[in-house]
Amino acid sequence: MEAHVGDRIVVRSTHQGEPERVGEVLGCAEPGGGPPYRVRWEPDGHTGLFYPAGTASVVRAEAAHG
């Protein structure tokens, strides 16, 4: 997985009825966009390090803004 500052991380639930988690990438551990990522999660704005798993995907910042 590759993500950069401003991209959005979407983590799909593995359990029926649980919502997706969505957050904005604030920082990357590696210059090429490798994990872990510092992410600000919606809706409460808490931040933390994120190590992507199988249900995570990236929405590029330019795609998210049109």
Side-chain angles (χ1 to χ4, degrees), residues 10-35:
V10 178
V11 182
R12 286 171 179 63
S13 172
T14 58
H15 298 93
Q16 186 174 2
E18 287 184 354
E20 293 180 337
R21 291 180 61 201
V22 178
E24 179 184 357
V25 176
L26 303 177
C28 306
E30 298 186 18

Side-chain angles (χ1 to χ4, degrees), residues 10-63:
V10 178
V11 182
R12 286 171 179 63
S13 172
T14 58
H15 298 93
Q16 186 174 2
E18 287 184 354
E20 293 180 337
R21 291 180 61 201
V22 178
E24 179 184 357
V25 176
L26 303 177
C28 306
E30 298 186 18
Y37 306 109
R38 172 130 336 254
V39 177
R40 179 175 45 236
W41 296 103
E42 298 174 0
D44 62 1
H46 76 276
T47 61
L49 283 181
F50 176 69
Y51 295 83
T55 62
S57 60
V58 175
V59 177
R60 301 280 176 232
E62 55 272 8

